[in-house]
């Protein structure tokens, strides 16, 4: 009958609606599970729960010659300020260089304008890690030729800067060339963070205290720096 046909159509629409609602709910549950896994990975990566941090998502990435930036979906309204460090689940990614009410621009470690004080985790000796415009290769600067550093050594934040707390993983030493008679060794490292692919990050709020035993070598005049 016509009535039964209309009833079937209404029932069909109702079932479709219920299925759509259930599908949306499942997607929400799936995304919550995925987010929890990402947060757990970030915590297990060494984030100090005493540090204040906020979870953020990467909206876009921009890459110009020698320069690498990402845009986050959090900004001034969440308390993010210029200078705050940004990490993914495996290491330091960079730091905030510009913030608006809802968005933040982050300069990545790979950017040739970026530098961060680091130390060798094994020996606690310090140096500066500088971007080269390459997401897979960073340069270790001011590492004395006599410095105890080996391929495979982990470089972590030294806390010597204003915003980076101490002890967060940054890079792994990949290549060392020492020249007899030269003041500094030529050393390169690979970032531990996934600079090209991470979509979920945290922004640290706690400012670093300046340590008393950091051993960063000063630049002296007329010294032969590695090219």
């Amino acid at each position: 009958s016509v009535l039964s046909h209309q009833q079937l159509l209404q029932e069909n629409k109702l079932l479709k609606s219920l299925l759509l609602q259930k599908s949306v709910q499942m997607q929400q549950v799936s995304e919550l599970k995925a987010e929890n896994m990402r947060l757990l990975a970030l915590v297990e990566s060494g984030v100090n729960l005493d540090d204040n941090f906020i979870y953020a998502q990467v909206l876009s990435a921009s890459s110009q010659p020698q320069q690498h930036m990402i845009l986050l979906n959090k900004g001034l309204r969440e308390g993010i300020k210029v200078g705050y460090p940004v990490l993914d689940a495996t290491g330091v990614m960079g730091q905030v260089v510009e913030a608006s009410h809802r968005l933040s621009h982050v300069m990545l470690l790979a950017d040739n304008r970026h530098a961060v004080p680091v130390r060798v985790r094994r020996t606690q000796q310090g140096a500066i890690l500088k971007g080269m415009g390459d997401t897979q290769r960073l340069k270790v600067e001011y590492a004395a030729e006599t410095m105890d550093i080996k391929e495979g050594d982990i470089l972590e934040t030294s806390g010597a800067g204003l915003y980076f707390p101490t002890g967060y993983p940054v890079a792994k030493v990949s290549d060392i060339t020492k020249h007899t008679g030269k003041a500094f060794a030529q050393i390169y490292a690979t970032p531990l963070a996934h600079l090209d692919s991470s979509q979920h990050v945290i922004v640290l709020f706690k400012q670093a205290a300046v340590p008393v035993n950091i051993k960063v070598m000063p630049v002296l005049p007329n010294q032969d720096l590695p090219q």
Side-chain angles (χ1 to χ4, degrees):
S1 66
V2 174
L3 182 61
S4 62
H5 181 67
Q6 289 177 339
Q7 288 176 333
L8 287 172
L9 286 175
Q10 290 177 348
E11 184 178 345
N12 182 261
K13 289 181 180 179
L14 177 62
L15 288 172
K16 284 183 177 179
S17 175
L18 289 172
L19 282 172
L20 180 59
Q21 291 178 28
K22 182 63 70 176
S23 176
V24 170
Q25 289 174 350
M26 291 300 293
Q27 289 177 20
Q28 291 173 336
V29 169
S30 177
E31 177 57 27
L32 283 172
K33 286 182 177 179
E35 182 173 333
N36 286 342
M37 291 297 290
R38 289 190 293 265
L39 288 170
L40 180 61
L42 289 170
V43 171
E44 288 179 344
S45 72
V47 172
N48 186 345
L49 294 179
D50 291 332
D51 290 344
N52 295 318
F53 62 88
I54 188 167
Y55 173 83
Q57 185 173 354
V58 177
L59 296 178
S60 65
S62 61
S63 180
Q64 300 177 0
Q66 304 297 310
Q67 298 179 2
H68 296 270
M69 304 278 292
I70 57 174
L71 182 66
L72 304 183
N73 68 338
K74 302 290 174 67
L76 296 173
R77 65 175 179 173
E78 286 84 18
I80 292 176
K81 296 180 181 179
V82 171
Y84 284 179
V86 177
L87 298 84
D88 72 358
T90 53
V92 173
M93 292 191 69
Q95 62 191 124
V96 176
V97 292
E98 183 181 347
S100 63
H101 185 60
R102 296 174 179 269
L103 301 170
S104 298
H105 294 267
V106 176
M107 182 184 292
L108 297 179
L109 294 174
D111 196 295
N112 70 343
R113 299 165 295 177
H114 193 278
V116 58
V118 295
R119 66 186 183 191
V120 179
R121 177 172 288 176
R122 179 176 56 84
T123 66
Q124 301 295 290
Q125 290 179 295
I128 301 294
L129 191 63
K130 180 130 183 9
M132 301 172 58
D134 185 340
T135 57
Q136 300 302 316
R137 191 171 170 85
L138 306 170
K139 189 173 184 180
V140 181
E141 296 191 332
Y142 310 133
E145 194 273 334
T146 56
M147 183 177 181
D148 180 8
I149 187 169
K150 302 176 181 178
E151 291 184 14
D153 271 341
I154 298 298
L155 302 176
E156 62 184 17
T157 52
S158 66
L162 177 61
Y163 291 106
F164 283 95
T166 304
Y168 285 94
V170 184
K172 179 184 287 189
V173 176
S174 59
D175 180 47
I176 300 174
T177 303
K178 294 187 177 183
H179 300 282
T180 304
K182 293 198 174 183
F184 298 106
Q186 188 168 309
I187 303 172
Y188 297 94
T190 303
L192 293 174
H194 300 290
L195 303 183
D196 289 325
S197 59
S198 286
Q199 295 299 308
H200 299 88
V201 301
I202 59 170
V203 182
L204 291 181
F205 278 43
K206 183 178 178 182
Q207 293 188 355
V210 178
V212 295
N213 61 347
I214 191 69
K215 302 176 182 176
V216 176
M217 295 295 294
V219 182
L220 300 177
N222 302 323
Q223 286 189 328
D224 189 6
L225 298 179
Q227 299 300 313

